[in-house]
Amino acid sequence: MADSTIPQASSSPSDETTRRKSGRVKHKPVFLQTDPNLSIIPNGNTKRKRTTEVEEADVDNLDSEASDSDGSDGDPDEEELKEKRRKSRSKKGSIKPAAKKPKTSQPRTTSLPVRPAINGAKKSSKPRRPRAKPNSAMADQGTGLFAELFAQGHTADAVAAEWITQYDRHNTNAMCELVNLVLKCTGSDSEVNVHDIEDPDNAASKLEDLQEEYQAKIITDYPLVSKAKGYASFRSTVTGFFSALIRTAHAAGVLYSDIALIENIEVWVTTMSSSSIRPFRHTATVISLAMQSALCSVYSEIADGTANSTRQKEGEQKRKAVNKDRVASIQKRVDEGERKLGMIDTMMENIFNAVYVHRYRDVDPKIRVDCVTALGRWITAAPDKFFTANYLRYLGWVLSDTSAPTRMEVVKQLSKLYKRKEDIGRLRGFTERFRPRFVEMAVRDAEPNIRAAAIELLGLVRETGLLEPDDIDSVGRLVFDSEEKVRKAVAGFFAKNIDDLYESVVEELGGEEGMAEAVGEDDPEDFDVPRKSWLKLKCLAEALQLYSAEDEEDAEPELQKAHPVLVGAETDSRFTLAAQAVYQGVPDIKEWQVLAGYLLYDNSSAATNGNASKSPEYLFRERCQLNEFEEVLLLEILKESVKQRLLEAVESETDKKGRKTTARAEEAREAQENVAVHLAEIIPRLLRKFGANPTTAAVVLRLEHVLNLEIFEELRQGSTTYASLLDDINKQFLTHVDQGVLAEASNAILHARTFEDLQEVTESKLQELWTDTLSSLTALASARNDGKEFDLVSLCNTVARIANLASVSDCVSVFESESRPPSKRSTREETTSSPASILMGLIATDCLEADDEEAQERSQLTMDAIKAILFYHMWLIRSIQTSIEANVPVSNLPETDTFASALFTVMNTRPGTDPVRLAAAGACLDLYTLYARNFNPPPAPKDHRSNSNKQTSTPPNKPTQQKPRPPTLDSSIRPIPPECQATLLTIYKLAEKHFARLSHRTLEPSAADDEEAVDDAPEDPDSDPDDDDDDRDSEQRKTRTLLAEKQLCELAGKMVLAIVGRVLDVDGTGTVRARLTRNERRLGPNFREVLAFLDEGKRKGNAKAKAQAHPEKAGAKKGVEKVKKSREIVEVSSEAESAGEEDEDADEENGELADHRFEDGEGADADSGENATARVDDDIMGD
C-alpha cells in the first residue's frame, strides 16, 4: 500500500463509477508497510537513505510492468496485479538487507537498510576448526592419504573432500589409497594394489596374507593404543576423517548415487574387524563405529527434513486453494528423503550386524568399551532407529561384563538415556528386564566407583517411577556401607526415601492442615516445643533403624574383646558414618539445636485429658515418640551435626581463594562461641536423661570431644558451667561399668586437660576420681586377701576404671603411695599395701579352673590389671626422662622383675591362644622394649657388605654421641630371658597355626620341635567346610578370621620391635627372626608388612645409597614401588600364597562378580560369554 503522503494519480469519473480503483500508479511506489526493513515516522518526511542497486532495479521493473499494463488493451484485473506484486516482493526478498542500528541523532526520519548482504555486511559463519598441525612423528611413516592426513597438516574435511574428488576421477585408485590408509593405521607397512580392489571377493584371503606378514614382524604396539609421542590425537584424527568422508559423500550425493562406494569400504573394514590379530581388529572396529556414528547424524538430519516436508505438504493440502504444483514439489522431496533414509538404514544395519554384534563381546575390554560408547552415541543421535528394545538389550547384556571399565561405561551411557525425559516410555520394557541387575551392581559390585555410578542410575530410574519398593530399600541400606564413596552417592537417594516416608506420615495425620493444627507455626527461638521438623527426624530414625543390619550385635562383642592391652585409635560407628553421608541430603539435620530439643522433649505426657487421644496435637506427639534404638541413632546424628557445623564455621574464615578477612573471622568466631555455649548447656541435660543407658551415655560423652574449651577460657565460664560439666562426666565414670562409657569418659577428661587455663579445675576433678577408685580398690582387695566375701564384679569394674584413668593421667605417685583401708581396726601391715602392689598381686594370683563359672570376670580382671601396670611403667619412664633432661638425680628407680615374673606366670598357666595369655605376652614384650628403646644407646651402624669392613666402619677418633643415663638403670635394661623367649615363641606358633587354620592357609612344614607346641592349637568349631553354605556361619567365621589375624599381627609386631630394640633374639643365632620369616609369604600381605620392619634400616640404607648413585632413577623407582604397594589386597588366596606368587589375578582377589554371563539366545553365541577369558589373547568371542 502506498503512503498517504505521496500524491497518487487520479482516475476518470467514469472509471470510478464502473469499477473499483485498479491500484495502478504513475509515480514510483514506496512499499513502506509491506517491507519490514522500513519504519514510518509520523512526520510525513519520506526521505530515505541510499538503497541498493538491486532494490532500485526491482522498483524500475515494477514501474515498467505497470506502464506496460497501462498501455495494454484493457486494464488488468485484480488477480494480475496481485500476481505482479507477489513477484516483485519475491525478488526483493531474495536479497536480505544488512542489519543497521537506528540513528538516534535524527529520530524523525524513515530508516532503511544500508546495503544488502552481498555488498555489505558479511554473513555470520560458524567458527572455523583449527587447522591440523603437521605431525613430525609420522612425517616419514607413510605416503599418500596417510601423509595428507597426518604429516601435511590438512584438516579431515579437506582430505575427505579431496578424496571424493579423486574417487570421481578414478574410483579404483581412490579406494586403494583408502584401504592402504586403514592398513597403515593398524601399524602395518603392507599395502594392497588396484587388482586387489577390483576383486572384492578375494579380500578375505588377501587380508590373511597381510596378517601373516604382520605377525612375522612381531609388532608389539600399534598406533591406536600407543603412548608414544605424537600419537595422542591419532584416534580423533582417524575417526574424524571417516566421519567427514561420510558427511562429504552425503553432501555430494555420491553416498546414494554410487552404492559401490560404501560396499567396498564395508568389504575391507568389516573383514578386518573379524581378524584374529588385535591391531587389525581394534582399528577396523573403531573405524566402523565412527562411520556408523556419521551415518546416524546424516540419518537424523534427513529424517528431520523429511518430517518437516511432510508437515508442510499436509499444511498445503488443508488450504482452500491447493497449489498442486507446490504439493507435488514437496511430495517429491519427501519421496527423495525416504529413499535416502532407506539406503542409510540398510548401510547402518549392515555395519551393526557385521561389526557390532561380534565386537561388543570381544575378548579385548578396550574394544568392548568402544562398542558400548558408540551404541550410546547412536541411540542419542538417531533415537527413531536405535532407541528400541532390539538395540537397548545389548547395553543390558554388557552390564554383566567382567571388565570394570566396560561396566562403568555402560552405566554412564544408560544414565544419559534415563535423563531424556521425553523418551522414558521407550525404556519401560528394558527397565523391567534389567532392573535387578541395576540393584545388584549398586549393592554387590567389586568396584566402589561402579557402585556409586549404579546408585546414581537407580536414582534416575526412581524418578521415572519404575523402581520397586524392595529395590528402594536395598539401595537405602547402603547408607551403612563401608565404602565412603558409596555412602556419599546414596545420600541423595536416602534423603528421597525420608521425604517419601514423611509425606506418607503427614497424610496419615491429616495433611498440612492437621500439622498446622497440631504444632502451629515454628518459633525460631524456642527449640523445646514441638515443630514440624521433629516428624522428619522421626522418619529419619525409623529409616535408619529399618536399614540397620540385624547381625550387628552378634559381631560387636567379639570385636570388643579384641583389645588385649592397649585401645587403638578411635573409630566412628556405622551410625556416625551414615550421619556423615546424609548430612548434606537431609537439611533438618543441620539444625542441631532443633534435634537436641527433640531429644530432650518428654513425650510421655502427651495426653493430659480424656479427649486428648482425638486431638491432632496428641496424635502428632504420639507419632514422634522415640524408642531406645532411635534415641541412639539421633544422638549419633546430633554429634555429627555439631561437628560438621563447627567445621563449616572454620572453613568460612576463608573465601574460595583461601584469603582470610576480618569480617569472616569474626563471623566464624561468633558461630563457634554460640555452638560452645549452647552445647555446654545441653550436654548435662542429655546426660541426665540418657546417662542411665551405657550406649546413649557413651554417645553423649562424645559430644564433649567436639566442645571448644578455648571459648570458656575467653568467656570466663570455667568455674561454673565447665565445672558442672566435669561433675557430670565424673558421675558417669563412677557409675558405669561399660568399657565404652569408661573409654569415652577418659577421653573427655584427656580433652579437658589439654587447656592450661582450665588445668586447675580439671586436676581437682581428676583427683576426686583417683581418691574414689583407689579407696574402692583397697577395700575390695583387703576383703579378698582376708578371705572374706567380696564382689568380684565390683573389683573388676574398679580395676577397669583405674586402667582407664592411668591412660590419661600420671599415676606414678598415686600407685606408689601407701593406702589405708576404710576400717577403724586396720593393722600396721595393712597400711603398707600400695595400689601398684595390689594390682601386681591380682596378676600374680591369676588362675583359671576348668569349671570356673566366673572365668570371664577373672580374665577381664587380669587383663585390666596388666593394662594399668603397663601404663604405670610408661609414666615412670616419662618421669625419668624428664629428670635426666633437667639434670636432676633419679630417685625413683624402676623395678621390673616383679611385673615380668607375674607376666611369665600368666603365660605359663593360660592355655593355647587364650586372650589373657596373648595380653600377657604382648605386655612382656612391651615392658622390655620400653626401657631398651628409651635408655639403651643407639646401635652402631652396620655394614652388610663383608665382615672385614665392619671393624673399620666407625673411625676411632669420632666417638658416638649418646644421651647419658644413670648407671642404676642398667638393672632395668636387660634382654628377655631365654626361658621367656621360648614361651613367647610357643605362643607365636599357636597364634600362627590358629590363623592359618581359620583362613585355610598352608604353612611351611613344621620342624620336630614345633609339633608339640602346635598340637595344642585350638580347633575351630566351624572348621567343617559344609558349614560354609550358611551365610550366618560364614559371617561369624570371617569375623573370627579377622580377629585371629589381628592377634597374630599384633604379637608379631611386638616381637619385631623387641628384635629391633635388641631385647629379643640377642644370642646371635637368629632363632626368633628365622621363625617369624618362615611363613612370611603365606600369611597374607598384612603380615608381610609387619615383618618388613625387620629390614627397614637395611632397606633405607640401600635406597639412600642408590639414590645418591643414581638420582635420576630415584623418583621413578619410588613411583613404581608405590604402584606395586597400592595393588596389594588384604585377602590373598591360599593357593597363590603356597606357590610363592604375590598378588596375581587381582580381579578375582578383589571379589569380582562371577555373574558375567550374557543372555542366551539373544545376540550371544554358544561359545561366547564367560568362557572367552580362557582363550588365547588374540581370540575373539563369537567368531
Side-chain angles (χ1 to χ4, degrees):
M1 181 181 294
D3 194 351
S4 60
T5 60
I6 300 176
Q8 302 189 13
S10 61
S11 59
S12 62
S14 60
D15 295 336
E16 294 177 358
T17 58
T18 57
R19 59 182 175 85
R20 294 181 301 173
K21 188 176 181 179
S22 64
R24 290 177 293 173
V25 294
K26 295 182 179 180
H27 297 282
K28 183 188 299 184
V30 179
F31 300 93
L32 297 177
Q33 296 181 358
T34 59
D35 193 346
N37 294 318
L38 302 179
S39 60
I40 299 177
I41 308 299
N43 59 355
N45 188 4
T46 58
K47 182 180 179 181
R48 62 177 183 177
K49 293 186 179 181
R50 176 186 169 195
T51 58
T52 64
E53 297 177 359
V54 178
E55 289 178 333
E56 293 176 356
D58 293 337
V59 176
D60 293 340
N61 294 334
L62 183 60
D63 292 339
S64 62
E65 292 174 1
S67 300
D68 295 338
S69 177
D70 291 339
S72 61
D73 295 335
D75 294 331
D77 58 4
E78 187 177 359
E79 293 297 331
E80 294 179 358
L81 292 176
K82 289 183 178 180
E83 182 67 17
K84 292 179 180 180
R85 293 193 187 102
R86 186 183 64 80
K87 291 181 179 180
S88 64
R89 285 196 299 268
S90 63
K91 292 180 180 180
K92 290 183 180 181
S94 62
I95 303 174
K96 296 181 180 179
K100 185 178 183 303
K101 296 181 180 179
K103 188 174 182 180
T104 57
S105 60
Q106 297 179 358
R108 299 178 63 82
T109 59
T110 302
S111 60
L112 294 175
V114 177
R115 62 182 70 244
I118 57 175
N119 295 329
K122 296 181 179 180
K123 295 182 179 179
S124 60
S125 60
K126 297 181 179 179
R128 286 186 177 182
R129 294 184 180 178
R131 190 178 183 85
K133 297 181 179 180
N135 194 335
S136 58
M138 303 181 187
D140 301 331
Q141 295 186 10
T143 58
L145 199 57
F146 186 87
E148 293 180 7
L149 189 60
F150 293 100
Q152 298 180 9
H154 298 306
T155 61
D157 293 334
V159 177
E162 180 63 25
W163 187 87
I164 291 294
T165 304
Q166 183 183 357
Y167 183 82
D168 290 337
R169 292 196 301 264
H170 198 291
N171 54 10
T172 306
N173 292 340
M175 187 60 62
C176 183
E177 286 194 11
L178 186 64
V179 175
N180 288 332
L181 170 65
V182 177
L183 291 173
K184 189 64 180 177
C185 291
T186 63
S188 174
D189 294 331
S190 303
E191 295 182 351
V192 297
N193 52 35
V194 177
H195 301 289
D196 298 326
I197 299 299
E198 293 175 348
D199 187 12
D201 297 335
N202 196 35
S205 60
K206 179 61 179 178
L207 286 175
E208 291 180 1
D209 298 338
L210 296 177
Q211 292 176 24
E212 294 177 359
E213 295 178 8
Y214 189 89
Q215 288 179 332
K217 297 179 181 180
I218 314 178
I219 301 175
T220 58
D221 197 7
Y222 56 102
L224 202 61
V225 297
S226 177
K227 302 297 182 181
K229 182 179 180 181
Y231 288 92
S233 60
F234 183 85
R235 175 190 287 263
S236 60
T237 303
V238 172
T239 57
F241 167 74
F242 281 93
S243 299
L245 183 63
I246 296 297
R247 293 194 304 268
T248 306
H250 157 69
V254 183
L255 189 63
Y256 315 104
S257 61
D258 191 352
I259 304 299
L261 169 64
I262 195 68
E263 289 180 352
N264 287 328
I265 296 177
E266 288 180 359
V267 166
W268 291 92
V269 175
T270 56
T271 305
M272 291 178 62
S273 67
S274 298
S275 173
S276 60
I277 299 179
R278 190 186 306 265
F280 280 35
R281 190 172 69 251
H282 192 185
T283 306
T285 301
V286 170
I287 292 175
S288 299
L289 298 178
M291 294 172 57
Q292 184 83 321
S293 299
L295 288 173
C296 288
S297 301
V298 174
Y299 182 90
S300 179
E301 178 183 347
I302 297 176
D304 293 341
T306 304
N308 292 334
S309 299
T310 303
R311 289 192 296 269
Q312 188 177 3
K313 184 191 69 172
E314 294 174 354
E316 288 290 337
Q317 291 176 345
K318 292 179 181 179
R319 292 189 177 186
K320 293 181 179 180
V322 179
N323 191 334
K324 296 182 179 180
D325 295 338
R326 181 174 177 80
V327 172
S329 176
I330 296 175
Q331 181 62 41
K332 185 177 180 181
R333 293 201 304 267
V334 172
D335 295 340
E336 181 65 17
E338 292 179 351
R339 183 183 70 86
K340 292 181 179 180
L341 285 177
M343 296 178 66
I344 296 178
D345 183 86
T346 303
M347 299 174 192
M348 292 191 299
E349 203 63 38
N350 293 337
I351 294 178
F352 188 88
N353 294 330
V355 179
Y356 188 89
V357 170
H358 300 287
R359 298 284 69 77
Y360 88 97
R361 49 204 174 109
D362 193 277
V363 69
D364 187 359
K366 295 180 181 179
I367 298 179
R368 301 202 297 272
V369 171
D370 291 337
C371 290
V372 170
T373 306
L375 182 55
R377 187 164 53 245
W378 302 342
I379 295 174
T380 305
D384 294 338
K385 168 65 178 176
F386 289 100
F387 212 144
T388 60
N390 290 335
Y391 297 99
L392 289 173
R393 60 180 181 175
Y394 289 95
L395 294 179
W397 292 335
V398 184
L399 287 170
S400 300
D401 196 278
T402 58
S403 173
T406 308
R407 297 197 305 275
M408 187 67 181
E409 185 61 28
V410 71
V411 172
K412 290 181 180 179
Q413 297 300 327
L414 288 174
S415 298
K416 294 179 181 178
L417 298 182
Y418 278 98
K419 290 179 181 178
R420 298 169 59 95
K421 303 302 180 182
E422 66 277 9
D423 295 324
I424 289 300
R426 302 181 180 184
L427 290 168
R428 185 174 300 276
F430 172 81
T431 305
E432 291 294 332
R433 182 176 181 181
F434 293 100
R435 185 186 65 248
R437 179 57 186 158
F438 294 169
V439 179
E440 183 182 13
M441 293 180 68
V443 176
R444 298 177 52 192
D445 198 278
E447 297 295 331
N449 293 335
I450 298 178
R451 297 179 64 191
I455 292 171
E456 295 178 1
L457 174 61
L458 287 170
L460 297 174
V461 176
R462 180 179 187 173
E463 294 177 1
T464 64
L466 301 177
L467 205 59
E468 296 294 333
D470 293 341
D471 299 333
I472 294 176
D473 293 338
S474 299
V475 179
R477 293 188 183 94
L478 297 179
V479 74
F480 294 110
D481 196 82
S482 59
E483 292 289 343
E484 181 180 3
K485 186 171 294 186
V486 176
R487 294 196 304 271
K488 289 183 177 180
V490 82
F493 193 96
F494 179 80
K496 180 63 176 173
N497 293 359
I498 303 302
D499 294 338
D500 294 343
L501 180 59
Y502 174 76
E503 293 175 0
S504 63
V505 174
V506 169
E507 291 297 329
E508 293 176 1
L509 297 179
E512 294 295 337
E513 297 180 358
M515 292 286 293
E517 185 179 355
V519 296
E521 296 294 333
D522 295 340
D523 188 357
E525 300 297 333
D526 191 358
F527 302 105
D528 296 331
V529 296
R531 55 178 61 202
K532 296 179 182 179
S533 56
W534 286 12
L535 192 60
K536 178 70 74 65
L537 296 173
K538 169 65 175 179
C539 295
L540 173 63
E542 289 180 352
L544 289 175
Q545 182 179 10
L546 176 65
Y547 295 152
S548 179
E550 297 179 357
D551 56 348
E552 178 196 6
E553 297 180 358
D554 298 335
E556 275 195 5
E558 293 191 48
L559 292 174
Q560 292 178 356
K561 295 177 184 178
H563 303 91
V565 176
L566 299 179
V567 179
E570 179 183 358
T571 57
D572 293 330
S573 67
R574 60 201 307 264
F575 305 114
T576 302
L577 297 177
Q580 294 175 1
V582 303
Y583 179 78
Q584 299 296 335
V586 184
D588 300 87
I589 297 179
K590 299 181 180 181
E591 300 294 334
W592 68 271
Q593 291 177 317
V594 175
L595 178 55
Y598 179 38
L599 287 168
L600 292 171
Y601 187 77
D602 186 10
N603 277 319
S604 60
S605 59
T608 57
N609 52 62
N611 297 327
S613 60
K614 300 180 181 180
S615 64
E617 182 180 1
Y618 172 80
L619 295 176
F620 176 82
R621 295 185 180 183
E622 183 183 30
R623 188 65 179 81
C624 290
Q625 287 186 1
L626 299 171
N627 57 36
E628 181 179 345
F629 192 80
E630 292 172 349
E631 290 174 348
V632 175
L633 292 174
L634 291 183
L635 284 172
E636 291 278 6
I637 294 175
L638 174 63
K639 177 183 73 70
E640 190 59 32
S641 178
V642 174
K643 183 179 178 180
Q644 293 294 332
R645 181 67 185 91
L646 291 175
L647 290 177
E648 291 176 355
V650 174
E651 293 175 356
S652 64
E653 295 181 359
T654 58
D655 56 11
K656 295 181 179 180
K657 296 183 178 180
R659 297 174 299 187
K660 291 186 178 182
T661 60
T662 305
R664 285 178 172 270
E666 291 178 355
E667 292 178 2
R669 190 65 178 177
E670 182 180 358
Q672 295 179 38
E673 290 179 0
N674 292 334
V675 172
V677 172
H678 287 88
L679 191 60
E681 297 175 355
I682 289 175
I683 290 178
R685 296 173 60 190
L686 291 173
L687 286 175
R688 285 193 292 271
K689 182 175 181 179
F690 301 106
N693 187 350
T695 306
T696 55
V699 180
V700 175
L701 288 174
R702 293 194 196 105
L703 282 172
E704 196 273 343
H705 303 171
V706 300
L707 187 61
N708 188 0
L709 299 181
E710 293 180 357
I711 304 299
F712 290 96
E713 297 176 9
E714 297 178 1
L715 299 178
R716 306 300 180 187
Q717 296 185 5
S719 59
T720 55
T721 307
Y722 178 67
S724 175
L725 179 61
L726 285 180
D727 288 336
D728 292 329
I729 294 175
N730 289 357
K731 180 180 178 181
Q732 296 297 320
F733 188 86
L734 293 174
T735 56
H736 280 285
V737 298
D738 183 76
Q739 290 290 339
V741 178
L742 296 179
E744 296 299 339
S746 302
N747 291 333
I749 296 172
L750 181 62
H751 176 250
R753 295 191 64 198
T754 57
F755 298 90
E756 296 181 357
D757 293 346
L758 303 175
Q759 189 81 18
E760 183 178 355
V761 180
T762 305
E763 291 298 333
S764 62
K765 301 299 180 181
L766 190 60
Q767 188 61 37
E768 293 177 4
L769 288 178
W770 275 119
T771 302
D772 294 340
T773 52
L774 293 180
S775 298
S776 177
L777 174 66
T778 303
L780 293 170
S782 177
R784 179 174 179 268
N785 294 335
D786 294 342
K788 300 179 181 179
E789 183 179 356
F790 70 99
D791 189 359
L792 179 60
V793 176
S794 299
L795 180 60
C796 291
N797 297 335
T798 301
V799 175
R801 295 190 184 98
I802 292 175
N804 281 276
L805 279 177
S807 65
V808 298
S809 175
D810 189 352
C811 59
V812 175
S813 58
V814 295
F815 271 28
E816 294 178 351
S817 62
E818 295 182 355
S819 58
R820 181 185 299 272
S823 175
K824 296 182 180 179
R825 297 182 180 181
S826 59
T827 61
R828 183 175 180 85
E829 290 75 14
E830 290 175 336
T831 62
T832 59
S833 60
S834 63
S837 61
I838 294 175
L839 295 173
M840 204 76 69
L842 294 177
I843 300 173
T845 58
D846 173 75
C847 61
L848 181 65
E849 301 295 338
D851 56 348
D852 195 347
E853 298 180 355
E854 300 176 343
Q856 184 175 357
E857 288 78 6
R858 293 181 182 275
S859 298
Q860 189 63 42
L861 175 64
T862 304
M863 287 192 292
D864 289 335
I866 292 173
K867 177 181 176 181
I869 295 298
L870 187 59
F871 275 120
Y872 161 73
H873 281 277
M874 292 180 181
W875 287 108
L876 185 59
I877 290 174
R878 181 179 179 183
S879 65
I880 294 174
Q881 288 177 335
T882 304
S883 300
I884 293 176
E885 293 175 355
N887 294 325
V888 176
V890 179
S891 58
N892 190 4
L893 299 179
E895 195 276 325
T896 59
D897 291 341
T898 305
F899 187 35
S901 177
L903 294 175
F904 184 70
T905 302
V906 173
M907 288 189 289
N908 287 329
T909 56
R910 289 277 178 165
T913 56
D914 186 85
V916 179
R917 191 182 194 188
L918 293 175
C924 180
L925 291 166
D926 287 337
L927 178 65
Y928 283 93
T929 306
L930 279 172
Y931 285 96
R933 296 286 286 180
N934 286 278
F935 300 114
N936 251 348
K942 296 182 180 180
D943 192 346
H944 300 277
R945 291 173 294 179
S946 63
N947 295 331
S948 60
N949 293 334
K950 290 183 179 180
Q951 299 177 357
T952 60
S953 59
T954 304
N957 57 349
K958 292 184 179 181
T960 304
Q961 297 293 332
Q962 301 176 5
K963 182 185 295 186
R965 73 164 189 261
T968 52
L969 287 175
D970 292 340
S971 59
S972 300
I973 306 172
R974 294 174 298 174
I976 297 178
E979 60 276 9
C980 184
Q981 176 175 311
T983 303
L984 290 172
L985 272 179
T986 301
I987 298 174
Y988 168 77
K989 296 169 187 176
L990 294 173
E992 181 185 62
K993 182 68 174 179
H994 181 53
F995 170 62
R997 185 174 298 167
L998 287 175
S999 59
H1000 302 288
R1001 298 177 185 270
T1002 303
L1003 301 177
E1004 287 285 348
S1006 302
D1009 56 345
D1010 292 344
E1011 294 297 334
E1012 182 178 357
V1014 174
D1015 288 341
D1016 296 333
E1019 293 288 342
D1020 179 42
D1022 296 331
S1023 58
D1024 188 0
D1026 296 336
D1027 295 340
D1028 294 341
D1029 296 335
D1030 192 348
D1031 293 339
R1032 187 177 182 85
D1033 292 343
S1034 177
E1035 290 297 326
Q1036 292 179 355
R1037 185 183 187 85
K1038 185 182 296 184
T1039 301
R1040 286 192 294 272
T1041 303
L1042 291 175
L1043 293 179
E1045 183 180 17
K1046 180 178 181 293
Q1047 293 172 349
L1048 175 64
C1049 291
E1050 284 183 352
L1051 181 59
K1054 294 178 184 298
M1055 296 176 72
V1056 168
L1057 291 177
I1059 294 174
V1060 175
R1062 295 176 295 163
V1063 294
L1064 186 65
D1065 206 12
V1066 295
D1067 54 359
T1069 60
T1071 304
V1072 180
R1073 184 189 184 98
R1075 187 62 186 84
L1076 288 175
T1077 58
R1078 174 186 295 178
N1079 297 293
E1080 179 179 3
R1081 298 189 177 278
R1082 294 176 176 267
L1083 296 176
N1086 293 331
F1087 185 76
R1088 287 199 301 271
E1089 288 298 319
V1090 171
L1091 297 188
F1093 286 90
L1094 284 173
D1095 299 326
E1096 183 180 10
K1098 179 179 179 180
R1099 289 188 291 109
K1100 287 184 177 180
N1102 295 340
K1104 184 176 180 180
K1106 291 181 180 180
Q1108 293 176 354
H1110 304 283
E1112 70 280 357
K1113 298 182 180 180
K1117 180 68 174 177
K1118 183 177 180 180
V1120 172
E1121 290 179 353
K1122 184 177 181 180
V1123 172
K1124 288 182 178 180
K1125 183 177 178 181
S1126 65
R1127 292 177 179 175
E1128 291 186 354
I1129 57 173
V1130 176
E1131 296 183 3
V1132 184
S1133 62
S1134 59
E1135 293 81 1
E1137 291 290 343
S1138 62
E1141 299 174 357
E1142 298 181 17
D1143 304 328
E1144 295 183 357
D1145 299 328
D1147 290 339
E1148 295 180 4
E1149 294 174 356
N1150 278 311
E1152 190 73 65
L1153 287 175
D1155 186 14
H1156 52 77
R1157 297 187 299 271
F1158 292 92
E1159 298 284 343
D1160 294 335
E1162 294 182 347
D1165 296 340
D1167 59 344
S1168 63
E1170 65 275 277
N1171 297 328
T1173 55
R1175 306 182 186 179
V1176 294
D1177 188 50
D1178 289 328
D1179 277 350
I1180 313 156
M1181 295 187 295
D1183 289 346

